Amino acid sequence: MILSFFRLLLTIGIAFLVGKLVSKVKLPSILGWLITGMVLGPHALSLMNQPLLDAQWYQTIVHILECSVGLMIGTELVWNKIKRSGKALVITTLTQSLGTFFVVSLVFGIVFYISNIPIYLAFVFGGIALATAPAPALSIVREFKTTGPVTKTLIPMAALDDIVGCIVFFTTIAIVAGSLSAGDLPAYMIALVVLLPLLIGVVIGLAAGFVLKKEQSRSVTLILLIAMIIIASAVGFIFNTLVLPRPVLNFMLIGMAFSATFSNMVSETRLEQIMEGFNPILGIAMIIVILNLGAPLDYHLILGAGLFTAIYILARAAGKYFGAYFGASITKSPETVKKYLGLTLLPHSGVSLVFTGIAVSVLVAPAPECAKIVQGTIAAAAVINEIIAVITAKKGFEWAGELSGSANRNHTKASFKKEST
């Protein structure tokens, strides 16, 4: 364990340095962390080898940090901030999520029909495709201090998107499993996988709200917050290992619900104090969570990626972009939200790999060939899409004028054009 822990520390140090180098060429640091995870992961140099990734202590740390990263989203879900755009937010979330499910399912339905592959597999692809991994885009928000309509829409949407993604995916996989008379995925799992993380987060968040509401010194506040995060994660571990038939709880969702609850119980000033002390830990948590996303990705899959992988990446991108555009249009959202929100929703790998693992476990016994198609396509897409998606997401914020400094440049250009005319 000591050697493995040293490997992890060394990997984190390398990722931090690579992230700094990547940021020098005006690309997001997360791209450096992601590539570091892939290069130092078990499929390449293996500094983060498979025994490390499988170790219980490592998984425990990652889940606690995923819960911590959830605070980036939850602390923005303050009712007074989002009530004005609540309706638009829900509608746009549904159009981009369900739109992606529809587009990917339709495209692969046609492709699989022509290829004599079972059509139900198209819906499995659609169920996997609609989920968005919030950590990459949120990392860009944090690094470049983005602000504006796109950022304000994206952050709360990340929480809603996870909920919709879980509902649609688990409903789809349960129907497929039932039709194949395969697997042992109980019907109650669909509700539990979505509601249980929210319930855990809300209950512990209520306790945290009472504890954190009172003014305390910075160090005491930080200790109390960390303690509550560990308690929320511990409850998640208990359900994952002792109650549910397989570990499927989303710890980031627990963190979102936990932080959203206490954020609505404390004053705005107090919330700023709480997060100011926690920000350094949040920065480290982001690096480790992104490394954990990158490590399982096999760079060899880029060379072996086939037509299905290309179709999947393009169909998913189209669903996300045009779904977000449609939702923003009918809710009369700002022009920048219509044009660029979809570009920030392309990151996918962490959630897609979890969903893929569950789908493969359901399909491997009754339809092993279909399981191979799902695993090969999504794994290759995760590698290729994530690199493209991080760059595209950063461009989306830049074109929307929400990167630190870019808003002023865009305002200057607009003013110049106005004066010229």
PDB file of all heavy atoms in Angstrom, residues 30 35 39 50 154 178 198 238 240 306:
ATOM      1  N   ILE A  30      -7.065  20.683 -17.373  1.00  0.00           N
ATOM      2  CA  ILE A  30      -7.688  19.368 -17.305  1.00  0.00           C
ATOM      3  C   ILE A  30      -7.228  18.464 -18.442  1.00  0.00           C
ATOM      4  O   ILE A  30      -7.127  17.245 -18.281  1.00  0.00           O
ATOM      5  CB  ILE A  30      -9.234  19.490 -17.318  1.00  0.00           C
ATOM      6  CG1 ILE A  30      -9.867  18.108 -17.233  1.00  0.00           C
ATOM      7  CG2 ILE A  30      -9.716  20.228 -18.506  1.00  0.00           C
ATOM      8  CD1 ILE A  30     -11.351  18.096 -17.292  1.00  0.00           C
ATOM      9  N   ILE A  35      -4.594  13.522 -20.063  1.00  0.00           N
ATOM     10  CA  ILE A  35      -3.554  12.836 -20.842  1.00  0.00           C
ATOM     11  C   ILE A  35      -2.546  12.172 -19.906  1.00  0.00           C
ATOM     12  O   ILE A  35      -2.085  11.056 -20.165  1.00  0.00           O
ATOM     13  CB  ILE A  35      -2.858  13.836 -21.794  1.00  0.00           C
ATOM     14  CG1 ILE A  35      -3.851  14.294 -22.879  1.00  0.00           C
ATOM     15  CG2 ILE A  35      -1.630  13.204 -22.442  1.00  0.00           C
ATOM     16  CD1 ILE A  35      -3.333  15.414 -23.750  1.00  0.00           C
ATOM     17  N   VAL A  39      -1.529   8.316 -20.040  1.00  0.00           N
ATOM     18  CA  VAL A  39      -0.140   7.907 -20.293  1.00  0.00           C
ATOM     19  C   VAL A  39       0.439   7.135 -19.115  1.00  0.00           C
ATOM     20  O   VAL A  39       1.197   6.169 -19.294  1.00  0.00           O
ATOM     21  CB  VAL A  39       0.734   9.152 -20.605  1.00  0.00           C
ATOM     22  CG1 VAL A  39       2.206   8.782 -20.675  1.00  0.00           C
ATOM     23  CG2 VAL A  39       0.294   9.802 -21.914  1.00  0.00           C
ATOM     24  N   GLN A  50      -2.966  -1.251 -12.495  1.00  0.00           N
ATOM     25  CA  GLN A  50      -4.287  -1.799 -12.200  1.00  0.00           C
ATOM     26  C   GLN A  50      -4.480  -2.145 -10.724  1.00  0.00           C
ATOM     27  O   GLN A  50      -5.554  -1.876 -10.160  1.00  0.00           O
ATOM     28  CB  GLN A  50      -4.559  -3.030 -13.071  1.00  0.00           C
ATOM     29  CG  GLN A  50      -6.047  -3.378 -13.205  1.00  0.00           C
ATOM     30  CD  GLN A  50      -6.850  -2.243 -13.812  1.00  0.00           C
ATOM     31  OE1 GLN A  50      -6.499  -1.698 -14.852  1.00  0.00           O
ATOM     32  NE2 GLN A  50      -7.938  -1.863 -13.154  1.00  0.00           N
ATOM     33  N   LEU A 154     -25.017  26.199 -17.151  1.00  0.00           N
ATOM     34  CA  LEU A 154     -24.330  24.905 -17.127  1.00  0.00           C
ATOM     35  C   LEU A 154     -24.238  24.312 -15.723  1.00  0.00           C
ATOM     36  O   LEU A 154     -24.477  23.114 -15.538  1.00  0.00           O
ATOM     37  CB  LEU A 154     -22.921  25.058 -17.713  1.00  0.00           C
ATOM     38  CG  LEU A 154     -22.030  23.813 -17.596  1.00  0.00           C
ATOM     39  CD1 LEU A 154     -22.524  22.709 -18.521  1.00  0.00           C
ATOM     40  CD2 LEU A 154     -20.578  24.137 -17.899  1.00  0.00           C
ATOM     41  N   GLY A 178     -34.952  -7.192 -19.175  1.00  0.00           N
ATOM     42  CA  GLY A 178     -36.199  -7.948 -19.060  1.00  0.00           C
ATOM     43  C   GLY A 178     -36.568  -8.648 -20.349  1.00  0.00           C
ATOM     44  O   GLY A 178     -36.996  -9.805 -20.345  1.00  0.00           O
ATOM     45  N   LEU A 198     -29.538  11.382  -3.660  1.00  0.00           N
ATOM     46  CA  LEU A 198     -30.162  12.650  -3.310  1.00  0.00           C
ATOM     47  C   LEU A 198     -30.622  12.645  -1.856  1.00  0.00           C
ATOM     48  O   LEU A 198     -30.422  13.616  -1.118  1.00  0.00           O
ATOM     49  CB  LEU A 198     -31.356  12.929  -4.238  1.00  0.00           C
ATOM     50  CG  LEU A 198     -31.033  13.107  -5.723  1.00  0.00           C
ATOM     51  CD1 LEU A 198     -32.316  13.302  -6.514  1.00  0.00           C
ATOM     52  CD2 LEU A 198     -30.090  14.274  -5.953  1.00  0.00           C
ATOM     53  N   ILE A 238     -21.813   2.439   2.704  1.00  0.00           N
ATOM     54  CA  ILE A 238     -22.617   1.410   3.367  1.00  0.00           C
ATOM     55  C   ILE A 238     -23.686   0.867   2.429  1.00  0.00           C
ATOM     56  O   ILE A 238     -23.858  -0.348   2.282  1.00  0.00           O
ATOM     57  CB  ILE A 238     -23.266   1.987   4.655  1.00  0.00           C
ATOM     58  CG1 ILE A 238     -22.186   2.259   5.705  1.00  0.00           C
ATOM     59  CG2 ILE A 238     -24.321   1.023   5.206  1.00  0.00           C
ATOM     60  CD1 ILE A 238     -22.674   3.044   6.899  1.00  0.00           C
ATOM     61  N   ASN A 240     -23.659   1.123  -0.882  1.00  0.00           N
ATOM     62  CA  ASN A 240     -23.008   0.516  -2.053  1.00  0.00           C
ATOM     63  C   ASN A 240     -22.550  -0.910  -1.780  1.00  0.00           C
ATOM     64  O   ASN A 240     -22.615  -1.770  -2.660  1.00  0.00           O
ATOM     65  CB  ASN A 240     -21.806   1.367  -2.466  1.00  0.00           C
ATOM     66  CG  ASN A 240     -21.981   1.980  -3.846  1.00  0.00           C
ATOM     67  OD1 ASN A 240     -23.009   1.788  -4.494  1.00  0.00           O
ATOM     68  ND2 ASN A 240     -20.993   2.716  -4.290  1.00  0.00           N
ATOM     69  N   GLY A 306     -13.353   2.313 -34.924  1.00  0.00           N
ATOM     70  CA  GLY A 306     -13.994   2.024 -36.199  1.00  0.00           C
ATOM     71  C   GLY A 306     -15.121   2.977 -36.517  1.00  0.00           C
ATOM     72  O   GLY A 306     -15.261   4.044 -35.899  1.00  0.00           O
TER      73      GLY A 306
END
